[in-house]
Amino acid sequence: METSTVAPKWLALFLLFCSLYIAPWMLGFAGWYDNQPYRDIMFYTPFRHIYFIGPALYFYVQSLLNPKFRLTRKNSIHFLPGILYLMYNAVIVVTDKLVLNKYYFLADGSDRDFETWYSVSGVVHMFFYLAASLRYYKIYRDLMPQVISYSDTLTFKWIRNFLAAFVTILLLSVVYDTVTLFYPEMAGYTSRWWFFFFFAIITAYIAVSGYSNTLRTTVPFDVSLLAPEKATVYTDTEENAIPIKEARVPDTGIDESLHIVKSQISAYFDEERPYNDPELTLPDVAGAIDVPVAVVSKAINKGFGMNFNDYVNRYRVEAVKKAFEKGDQQKQTLLGIAFNCGFNSKATFNRAFKKHTGQSPREYMLETAPQSVTE
């Protein structure tokens, strides 16, 4: 497995933009809007980088889930709206401070960071990137059972919590703006303190939880959010297009070459028992039998009627059942047997065993081998 070193940097950038978002209110209550030179600093320095928050969120999610993710010229285009807004602010500074030497753009005494068009478009912009992040996460969840044998352990609860926290931030903003439509008196500068108070609490939660949840990415891939039928999965030597959700119904009409691959896969699992490796992946199997990853994936899905994760766990369950028959449960715990057979968590073991046998491990063992059990 590979631990992402890029993700903490994107999280730090996201938190920086969130902190800057609430900075004007904190500094405003400290009197900066009422005294020079702080007043000009507040007016001419863009603190609320709303157009950068969404892309930082999106790239953080990608960097957590995909070890191949890197910032490139192509995806740098996501920062263009934020860069244009910075250029807009640069024009204001040059015009007022260097050309006219007076308040021109800011003659009305209002901070451009709080203009309605910017605030509304910023919220829409962040909702767009939230939707993109959720879609990317869903694609990842659908893809992983096709290529790794431990997808049940990659629930990435932190991703769900992180995105839920961000949804809460956006909904708070929408609720506040809606309330002010009916109660204009609440639209004042001091009336909004509660929104930024909760915004700060949620940001603190994201910071603490984000850095305490060390997530490990596994298989590098590329996928289009607009056409996510297939993902390109990368190995050391090749690229393979893998269906995100391939039909898992045994197909009696598969061609002879796929039957041959099926036989190769079965022989490899029977003889070499690769399922004992808790981190076994589809590329590992493909490399061992010298068959392209995409072909192995198709053989398992079409030939055996299940995804790669379920196929491997079926062998692991059978290995556990054989251990029960030999009486291993009298010498070690059920969890110890599961770990020896390739499972890497109790929850995954219980879930996979019941899925393939219809019974819990303990129920099955007591029914078929009622000897003493070591818990």
Side-chain angles (χ1 to χ4, degrees), residues 262-337:
K262 276 185 61 180
S263 300
Q264 288 179 280
I265 296 170
S266 296
Y268 176 59
F269 272 76
D270 291 337
E271 296 169 10
E272 303 297 331
R273 294 185 289 184
Y275 51 84
N276 287 331
D277 178 2
E279 297 184 354
L280 183 68
T281 67
L282 183 70
D284 293 338
V285 175
I289 64 176
D290 196 25
V291 175
V293 172
V295 177
V296 175
S297 176
K298 186 175 182 179
I300 292 175
N301 280 272
K302 297 290 188 181
F304 296 104
M306 60 187 76
N307 61 41
F308 178 73
N309 185 70
D310 287 341
Y311 180 76
V312 176
N313 280 343
R314 187 185 68 174
Y315 272 90
R316 290 169 176 164
V317 169
E318 290 301 317
V320 171
K321 290 164 65 176
K322 290 178 181 178
F324 289 165
E325 293 172 3
K326 293 189 297 182
D328 287 0
Q329 69 273 16
Q330 299 181 54
K331 297 176 288 186
Q332 57 183 318
T333 65
L334 297 183
L335 192 57
I337 295 174

Side-chain angles (χ1 to χ4, degrees), residues 163-239:
L163 294 175
F166 190 73
V167 168
T168 304
I169 288 176
L170 293 182
L171 290 180
L172 280 175
S173 179
V174 172
V175 168
Y176 175 81
D177 291 337
T178 302
V179 169
T180 57
L181 292 176
F182 299 95
Y183 301 95
E185 65 274 10
M186 294 187 64
Y189 177 80
T190 58
S191 301
R192 199 163 182 166
W193 69 269
W194 63 270
F195 166 75
F196 286 95
F197 174 73
F198 286 109
F199 188 102
I201 290 177
I202 295 172
T203 301
Y205 162 75
I206 291 174
V208 173
S209 299
Y211 285 106
S212 63
N213 282 274
T214 304
L215 305 181
R216 296 187 296 171
T217 54
T218 52
V219 179
F221 65 95
D222 275 334
V223 67
S224 169
L225 295 186
L226 299 178
E229 291 80 12
K230 289 188 176 182
T232 301
V233 176
Y234 295 89
T235 66
D236 293 336
T237 58
E238 61 180 346
E239 302 176 8

Side-chain angles (χ1 to χ4, degrees), residues 10 18 54 64 134 283 316 366:
W10 283 111
C18 288
L64 271 180
L134 288 169
R316 290 169 176 164
L366 291 176

Side-chain angles (χ1 to χ4, degrees), residues 345-366:
S345 78
K346 182 178 180 180
T348 299
F349 168 50
N350 289 332
R351 187 160 45 245
F353 197 95
K354 189 157 190 176
K355 180 176 184 177
H356 289 279
T357 67
Q359 296 175 295
S360 71
R362 185 177 179 83
E363 290 171 344
Y364 178 89
M365 185 191 56
L366 291 176

